[in-house]
Amino acid sequence: MSSKETDKIKSVNLGAPKNFLIPIMLLHLRDWNSHGYELMEKITEFGIQSVDQGNFYRLLRQLEKDELVTSNWDTSSGGPAKRVYSITGVGEEYLELWAGSLGHYQKMLDQFFNLYNPFFNPFQLASKETDKDNE
């Protein structure tokens, strides 16, 4: 495979699956109640590079409809009222289910990389690409 083909494969951004966004949102809400905008910032800091704002708020409304989160209006600030989201008991159970599934998936990924190359560290590769982008 040529270096041009390798670079093309590396440049493909598959993005985060939409349903993977749910446990990340719930995980952040587990520790503190948050306005939607603050939650979106935390998700970006987590590593999800592009979050469509419209889809994000639709997903929050769906999570509320599914009783995984709840929201209340915050009128304490001088500006317009904002919704404050928090996780529910059902959301905690859903997050626990996801954590168990991801733990199992992590074991499979570890086995994959051990077979792929016992000396391969995907985190080193990501670090090198970030360093290269910053040059």
Side-chain angles (χ1 to χ4, degrees):
M1 183 177 299
S2 74
S3 121
K4 188 175 182 179
E5 290 171 323
T6 303
D7 289 343
K8 184 177 180 182
I9 290 170
K10 287 180 182 177
S11 71
V12 174
N13 182 5
L14 300 177
K18 286 186 171 91
N19 59 352
F20 185 59
L21 191 55
I22 293 170
I24 295 169
M25 293 168 75
L26 294 174
L27 180 63
H28 283 88
L29 289 173
R30 183 185 68 170
D31 294 330
W32 86 102
N33 299 335
S34 176
H35 299 285
Y37 183 77
E38 293 171 328
L39 182 58
M40 191 181 306
E41 284 180 336
K42 290 290 184 186
I43 289 169
T44 302
E45 290 171 11
F46 185 83
I48 307 292
Q49 294 179 357
S50 62
V51 177
D52 178 72
Q53 192 171 4
N55 286 335
F56 177 79
Y57 282 100
R58 277 189 287 281
L59 183 56
L60 270 175
R61 285 192 297 275
Q62 185 61 48
L63 291 176
E64 191 167 14
K65 184 178 176 183
D66 294 339
E67 300 180 352
L68 299 176
V69 302
T70 186
S71 70
N72 294 304
W73 286 104
D74 177 12
T75 57
S76 63
S77 64
K82 298 178 183 176
R83 283 190 180 269
V84 176
Y85 295 90
S86 55
I87 192 169
T88 64
V90 174
E92 293 265 4
E93 291 175 16
Y94 188 77
L95 180 58
E96 190 173 327
L97 178 69
W98 259 96
S101 296
L102 289 173
H104 178 72
Y105 191 63
Q106 179 66 50
K107 288 177 186 175
M108 289 190 309
L109 286 173
D110 291 343
Q111 289 178 357
F112 171 85
F113 284 116
N114 284 335
L115 287 173
Y116 177 73
N117 181 348
F119 304 108
F120 177 75
N121 182 343
F123 299 109
Q124 286 178 339
L125 179 62
S127 169
K128 287 178 186 176
E129 289 176 0
T130 302
D131 292 343
K132 185 178 176 183
D133 292 341
N134 291 332
E135 291 179 351

